[in-house]
Amino acid sequence: MAFGADELRVLRRALAHALHPAPLDDEDVQDCLRLAGSVDEAVREAGRMRAFLLADLARYRDALPGSAAGYLELLQDALAAGYDPRPEDLAALRGLRGTPVGAALLARCQTLAEHSVRTRLAGRHVAPAPRTRLLALPGGRKGEPEEPKPRPAPPKPGPVPTERPVPKPSEVFPPRKRPAAPPSRQRAAG
């Protein structure tokens, strides 16, 4: 995998930030997320290329002996990419050991297969963990705390008995008393 000048600049800043954590600018966070997306895409593309190479290798192996030159070349490429030879490859190479390239590849594949079997039997075979997507950057954006705040618990249904009930508006603001009517004057009869 090769990085461009801009990608190396972002990678250098991300590594410096990992060594000396500090809040990141929004632009730096976006650059890191774009770089992570590019790396994820490169990993997916490498997986697709590996699957294509292995399928092509199987097709050439099935077409032996007519495809011997192409098969040997593809097998060399696959071995260089970390391919563990399968029993079918060893059987095919035994049929091609009359050529110098076939004999050399047979010896190499037997050594690799033997090493792979011994590693698995010893229990030290660890499958590579799939790469996870970069979800958060330590330090976060400027002004934000480093760790996300936990979400508040959802409200409990119904009122809690120890809570004071909410008063009604009529209790808070009692109705006004109307002023009493002035006493009526009664005339004295006389």
mmCIF file of all heavy atoms in Angstrom, residues 69-90:
data_model
loop_
_atom_site.group_PDB
_atom_site.id
_atom_site.type_symbol
_atom_site.label_atom_id
_atom_site.label_comp_id
_atom_site.label_asym_id
_atom_site.label_seq_id
_atom_site.Cartn_x
_atom_site.Cartn_y
_atom_site.Cartn_z
ATOM 1 N N ALA A 69 2.573 -23.222 -17.436
ATOM 2 C CA ALA A 69 3.347 -21.981 -17.304
ATOM 3 C C ALA A 69 2.548 -20.922 -16.542
ATOM 4 O O ALA A 69 3.068 -20.267 -15.622
ATOM 5 C CB ALA A 69 3.754 -21.456 -18.672
ATOM 6 N N GLY A 70 1.279 -20.739 -16.898
ATOM 7 C CA GLY A 70 0.437 -19.754 -16.221
ATOM 8 C C GLY A 70 0.185 -20.133 -14.773
ATOM 9 O O GLY A 70 0.173 -19.274 -13.883
ATOM 10 N N TYR A 71 -0.025 -21.429 -14.508
ATOM 11 C CA TYR A 71 -0.274 -21.893 -13.144
ATOM 12 C C TYR A 71 0.939 -21.633 -12.252
ATOM 13 O O TYR A 71 0.799 -21.132 -11.129
ATOM 14 C CB TYR A 71 -0.621 -23.385 -13.139
ATOM 15 C CG TYR A 71 -0.724 -23.968 -11.762
ATOM 16 C CD1 TYR A 71 -1.793 -23.649 -10.929
ATOM 17 C CD2 TYR A 71 0.255 -24.823 -11.267
ATOM 18 C CE1 TYR A 71 -1.886 -24.167 -9.648
ATOM 19 C CE2 TYR A 71 0.174 -25.344 -9.989
ATOM 20 C CZ TYR A 71 -0.893 -25.015 -9.186
ATOM 21 O OH TYR A 71 -0.977 -25.516 -7.920
ATOM 22 N N LEU A 72 2.120 -21.958 -12.742
ATOM 23 C CA LEU A 72 3.331 -21.764 -11.936
ATOM 24 C C LEU A 72 3.556 -20.282 -11.623
ATOM 25 O O LEU A 72 3.938 -19.926 -10.508
ATOM 26 C CB LEU A 72 4.547 -22.361 -12.653
ATOM 27 C CG LEU A 72 4.534 -23.884 -12.796
ATOM 28 C CD1 LEU A 72 5.700 -24.351 -13.654
ATOM 29 C CD2 LEU A 72 4.538 -24.563 -11.443
ATOM 30 N N GLU A 73 3.282 -19.431 -12.593
ATOM 31 C CA GLU A 73 3.443 -17.990 -12.383
ATOM 32 C C GLU A 73 2.433 -17.475 -11.351
ATOM 33 O O GLU A 73 2.786 -16.717 -10.444
ATOM 34 C CB GLU A 73 3.271 -17.249 -13.711
ATOM 35 C CG GLU A 73 3.518 -15.765 -13.617
ATOM 36 C CD GLU A 73 3.359 -15.071 -14.966
ATOM 37 O OE1 GLU A 73 3.612 -15.694 -16.005
ATOM 38 O OE2 GLU A 73 2.956 -13.903 -14.942
ATOM 39 N N LEU A 74 1.166 -17.901 -11.489
ATOM 40 C CA LEU A 74 0.141 -17.480 -10.529
ATOM 41 C C LEU A 74 0.430 -18.013 -9.128
ATOM 42 O O LEU A 74 0.193 -17.320 -8.131
ATOM 43 C CB LEU A 74 -1.238 -17.934 -10.983
ATOM 44 C CG LEU A 74 -1.882 -17.117 -12.089
ATOM 45 C CD1 LEU A 74 -3.188 -17.752 -12.537
ATOM 46 C CD2 LEU A 74 -2.134 -15.703 -11.613
ATOM 47 N N LEU A 75 0.927 -19.243 -9.049
ATOM 48 C CA LEU A 75 1.237 -19.812 -7.740
ATOM 49 C C LEU A 75 2.367 -19.030 -7.065
ATOM 50 O O LEU A 75 2.324 -18.780 -5.859
ATOM 51 C CB LEU A 75 1.605 -21.294 -7.867
ATOM 52 C CG LEU A 75 1.856 -22.026 -6.556
ATOM 53 C CD1 LEU A 75 0.636 -21.955 -5.645
ATOM 54 C CD2 LEU A 75 2.243 -23.468 -6.823
ATOM 55 N N GLN A 76 3.354 -18.616 -7.841
ATOM 56 C CA GLN A 76 4.432 -17.800 -7.276
ATOM 57 C C GLN A 76 3.888 -16.478 -6.736
ATOM 58 O O GLN A 76 4.266 -16.031 -5.640
ATOM 59 C CB GLN A 76 5.524 -17.532 -8.322
ATOM 60 C CG GLN A 76 6.368 -18.741 -8.637
ATOM 61 C CD GLN A 76 7.353 -18.477 -9.764
ATOM 62 O OE1 GLN A 76 7.173 -17.574 -10.580
ATOM 63 N NE2 GLN A 76 8.404 -19.286 -9.818
ATOM 64 N N ASP A 77 2.986 -15.855 -7.498
ATOM 65 C CA ASP A 77 2.370 -14.599 -7.044
ATOM 66 C C ASP A 77 1.559 -14.820 -5.762
ATOM 67 O O ASP A 77 1.605 -14.005 -4.839
ATOM 68 C CB ASP A 77 1.474 -14.006 -8.127
ATOM 69 C CG ASP A 77 2.248 -13.507 -9.331
ATOM 70 O OD1 ASP A 77 3.479 -13.331 -9.222
ATOM 71 O OD2 ASP A 77 1.610 -13.296 -10.391
ATOM 72 N N ALA A 78 0.802 -15.922 -5.726
ATOM 73 C CA ALA A 78 -0.018 -16.207 -4.546
ATOM 74 C C ALA A 78 0.857 -16.481 -3.321
ATOM 75 O O ALA A 78 0.549 -16.022 -2.217
ATOM 76 C CB ALA A 78 -0.936 -17.396 -4.827
ATOM 77 N N LEU A 79 1.936 -17.213 -3.510
ATOM 78 C CA LEU A 79 2.843 -17.484 -2.391
ATOM 79 C C LEU A 79 3.483 -16.197 -1.877
ATOM 80 O O LEU A 79 3.655 -16.021 -0.667
ATOM 81 C CB LEU A 79 3.921 -18.486 -2.808
ATOM 82 C CG LEU A 79 3.435 -19.917 -3.074
ATOM 83 C CD1 LEU A 79 4.573 -20.757 -3.638
ATOM 84 C CD2 LEU A 79 2.839 -20.551 -1.843
ATOM 85 N N ALA A 80 3.819 -15.298 -2.786
ATOM 86 C CA ALA A 80 4.402 -14.009 -2.389
ATOM 87 C C ALA A 80 3.394 -13.181 -1.592
ATOM 88 O O ALA A 80 3.777 -12.370 -0.740
ATOM 89 C CB ALA A 80 4.867 -13.238 -3.614
ATOM 90 N N ALA A 81 2.092 -13.393 -1.845
ATOM 91 C CA ALA A 81 1.048 -12.653 -1.129
ATOM 92 C C ALA A 81 0.638 -13.336 0.165
ATOM 93 O O ALA A 81 -0.302 -12.896 0.829
ATOM 94 C CB ALA A 81 -0.168 -12.485 -2.035
ATOM 95 N N GLY A 82 1.323 -14.440 0.548
ATOM 96 C CA GLY A 82 1.017 -15.094 1.821
ATOM 97 C C GLY A 82 0.091 -16.287 1.712
ATOM 98 O O GLY A 82 -0.459 -16.736 2.716
ATOM 99 N N TYR A 83 -0.094 -16.840 0.541
ATOM 100 C CA TYR A 83 -0.983 -17.984 0.327
ATOM 101 C C TYR A 83 -0.361 -19.248 0.898
ATOM 102 O O TYR A 83 0.821 -19.526 0.690
ATOM 103 C CB TYR A 83 -1.230 -18.135 -1.183
ATOM 104 C CG TYR A 83 -2.003 -19.358 -1.596
ATOM 105 C CD1 TYR A 83 -3.342 -19.488 -1.300
ATOM 106 C CD2 TYR A 83 -1.379 -20.373 -2.324
ATOM 107 C CE1 TYR A 83 -4.061 -20.593 -1.712
ATOM 108 C CE2 TYR A 83 -2.084 -21.483 -2.742
ATOM 109 C CZ TYR A 83 -3.429 -21.591 -2.424
ATOM 110 O OH TYR A 83 -4.126 -22.688 -2.827
ATOM 111 N N ASP A 84 -1.149 -20.016 1.651
ATOM 112 C CA ASP A 84 -0.708 -21.331 2.131
ATOM 113 C C ASP A 84 -1.116 -22.364 1.088
ATOM 114 O O ASP A 84 -2.317 -22.486 0.776
ATOM 115 C CB ASP A 84 -1.364 -21.677 3.468
ATOM 116 C CG ASP A 84 -0.656 -21.058 4.648
ATOM 117 O OD1 ASP A 84 0.536 -20.729 4.507
ATOM 118 O OD2 ASP A 84 -1.291 -20.897 5.702
ATOM 119 N N PRO A 85 -0.161 -23.106 0.547
ATOM 120 C CA PRO A 85 -0.516 -24.081 -0.489
ATOM 121 C C PRO A 85 -1.444 -25.158 0.054
ATOM 122 O O PRO A 85 -1.310 -25.594 1.197
ATOM 123 C CB PRO A 85 0.832 -24.668 -0.919
ATOM 124 C CG PRO A 85 1.808 -24.288 0.125
ATOM 125 C CD PRO A 85 1.259 -23.107 0.850
ATOM 126 N N ARG A 86 -2.388 -25.562 -0.778
ATOM 127 C CA ARG A 86 -3.367 -26.580 -0.421
ATOM 128 C C ARG A 86 -2.885 -27.940 -0.931
ATOM 129 O O ARG A 86 -1.981 -28.008 -1.767
ATOM 130 C CB ARG A 86 -4.713 -26.232 -1.041
ATOM 131 C CG ARG A 86 -5.269 -24.946 -0.501
ATOM 132 C CD ARG A 86 -6.604 -24.659 -1.084
ATOM 133 N NE ARG A 86 -7.163 -23.460 -0.464
ATOM 134 C CZ ARG A 86 -8.334 -22.984 -0.765
ATOM 135 N NH1 ARG A 86 -9.072 -23.565 -1.692
ATOM 136 N NH2 ARG A 86 -8.771 -21.904 -0.156
ATOM 137 N N PRO A 87 -3.527 -28.999 -0.472
ATOM 138 C CA PRO A 87 -3.144 -30.328 -0.976
ATOM 139 C C PRO A 87 -3.277 -30.437 -2.498
ATOM 140 O O PRO A 87 -2.482 -31.123 -3.144
ATOM 141 C CB PRO A 87 -4.108 -31.278 -0.264
ATOM 142 C CG PRO A 87 -4.497 -30.553 0.976
ATOM 143 C CD PRO A 87 -4.482 -29.096 0.627
ATOM 144 N N GLU A 88 -4.273 -29.735 -3.086
ATOM 145 C CA GLU A 88 -4.443 -29.768 -4.543
ATOM 146 C C GLU A 88 -3.228 -29.163 -5.239
ATOM 147 O O GLU A 88 -2.828 -29.617 -6.309
ATOM 148 C CB GLU A 88 -5.697 -28.993 -4.978
ATOM 149 C CG GLU A 88 -6.987 -29.428 -4.331
ATOM 150 C CD GLU A 88 -7.295 -28.685 -3.041
ATOM 151 O OE1 GLU A 88 -7.192 -27.437 -2.971
ATOM 152 O OE2 GLU A 88 -7.646 -29.376 -2.079
ATOM 153 N N ASP A 89 -2.655 -28.113 -4.628
ATOM 154 C CA ASP A 89 -1.473 -27.484 -5.210
ATOM 155 C C ASP A 89 -0.275 -28.437 -5.149
ATOM 156 O O ASP A 89 0.498 -28.537 -6.108
ATOM 157 C CB ASP A 89 -1.142 -26.179 -4.469
ATOM 158 C CG ASP A 89 -2.221 -25.131 -4.640
ATOM 159 O OD1 ASP A 89 -2.672 -24.917 -5.778
ATOM 160 O OD2 ASP A 89 -2.604 -24.516 -3.627
ATOM 161 N N LEU A 90 -0.132 -29.111 -4.025
ATOM 162 C CA LEU A 90 0.983 -30.058 -3.904
ATOM 163 C C LEU A 90 0.851 -31.185 -4.916
ATOM 164 O O LEU A 90 1.840 -31.596 -5.541
ATOM 165 C CB LEU A 90 1.063 -30.597 -2.478
ATOM 166 C CG LEU A 90 1.410 -29.569 -1.397
ATOM 167 C CD1 LEU A 90 1.286 -30.177 -0.008
ATOM 168 C CD2 LEU A 90 2.787 -29.005 -1.611
#
